[in-house]
Amino acid sequence: MATNKPAAALERRPGTFRAALKRDLLLAFRNRRDLVNPLVFFLMVATLFPLGVSPEPAFLAELAPGLVWVAALLATLLSMDSLFRADFEDGTLEQALLSPQPLMLVVLARVTAHWVMTGLPLTLMAPLLGLMLFLPAEGMPGLMLSLLLGTPTLSLIGAIGAALTVGLRKGGMLISLLVLPLYIPVLIFGSGAVQAAVTGLPLAGYLALLGAMLALGLVLAPLAIAAALRISVSG
């Protein structure tokens, strides 16, 4: 009896994603230093900024929405250079390219693991930074929701830059040049959502735009990441 190969491939895809996600999470837990660095940087921004500018509560409260979002953006960018580098150096990435499993699912699992280990802790840690910067309590829901929707988009966009520069020895600076312009809309709408929550304005529009960018990123970014990895490895 003939086997329906496309149907069988579709049935294997959820298992492929789960297996790749489990592997990436285990590897991330083993490299705890890479997990701690973004969180330490995130905390250092909130600690050092008042010392370098002004400790006035009113001044810090006014800057808090944008400052927390900029810190989250830079902390995410800090961890991007190592996203695919270890797999590239030990040959795992080449095996993934030659594997019959869909590369898009493999890279989506890697980005998901990156967000779980970096973006999600930053989101959970954000209220602490908000308190340190005297962010009003009214802005906390907007801060959490905007980061919850925005940080996955940052990971997806950053992974495209990481895939393009994975074959370069010093690709960290190049990643910044490639992805920072694409981060700007997320930064604008994310900090705008927090500011709207602080001032009592509706923030549904900001969250809808962040959700739309996340949905678009989930559809298009894995295709771009997979293509960029093929170019980097074959080059």
Side-chain angles (χ1 to χ4, degrees):
M1 185 175 180
T3 304
N4 190 338
K5 292 184 178 180
L10 288 174
E11 290 177 0
R12 289 196 301 268
R13 288 183 180 182
T16 301
F17 179 82
R18 286 195 296 268
L21 179 61
K22 182 179 179 181
R23 169 190 174 272
D24 292 334
L25 288 174
L26 287 174
L27 291 175
F29 274 115
R30 291 173 184 174
N31 299 323
R32 293 185 178 88
R33 182 185 62 183
D34 294 336
L35 304 178
V36 173
N37 286 342
L39 298 177
V40 172
F41 176 84
F42 196 47
L43 184 60
M44 284 175 59
V45 171
T47 304
L48 298 179
F49 185 82
L51 298 176
V53 182
S54 172
E56 285 293 328
F59 178 76
L60 293 176
E62 185 177 354
L63 296 182
L67 182 59
V68 173
W69 254 98
V70 168
L73 185 153
L74 295 177
T76 302
L77 192 60
L78 183 67
S79 61
M80 278 298 164
D81 185 45
S82 60
L83 187 60
F84 300 109
R85 189 164 300 280
D87 286 351
F88 177 78
E89 292 175 350
D90 64 14
T92 304
L93 188 56
E94 292 184 6
Q95 294 297 321
L97 293 174
L98 297 173
S99 171
Q101 305 297 343
L103 183 59
M104 291 185 300
L105 291 182
V106 176
V107 299
L108 184 60
R110 172 58 60 88
V111 175
T112 302
H114 175 269
W115 177 79
V116 170
M117 305 307 297
T118 303
L120 185 58
L122 290 177
T123 302
L124 298 176
M125 193 175 174
L128 175 61
L129 268 73
L131 290 175
M132 294 175 65
L133 296 172
F134 301 98
L135 180 69
E138 295 81 4
M140 292 298 180
L143 178 64
M144 294 290 290
L145 291 174
S146 63
L147 286 172
L148 196 61
L149 291 172
T151 49
T153 308
L154 297 180
S155 295
L156 288 166
I157 296 173
I160 299 174
L164 286 171
T165 60
V166 69
L168 304 178
R169 291 185 178 180
K170 296 181 180 180
M173 183 61 68
L174 188 56
I175 292 176
S176 302
L177 295 176
L178 289 173
V179 305
L180 276 178
L182 302 176
Y183 276 174
I184 291 175
V186 184
L187 174 64
I188 291 173
F189 294 122
S191 58
V194 184
Q195 191 64 46
V198 170
T199 56
L201 297 175
L203 66 155
Y206 293 99
L207 297 179
L209 288 169
L210 289 171
M213 286 189 285
L214 175 57
L216 190 64
L218 288 172
V219 173
L220 298 180
L223 296 172
I225 297 166
L229 287 175
R230 289 191 177 96
I231 293 171
S232 298
V233 173
S234 63

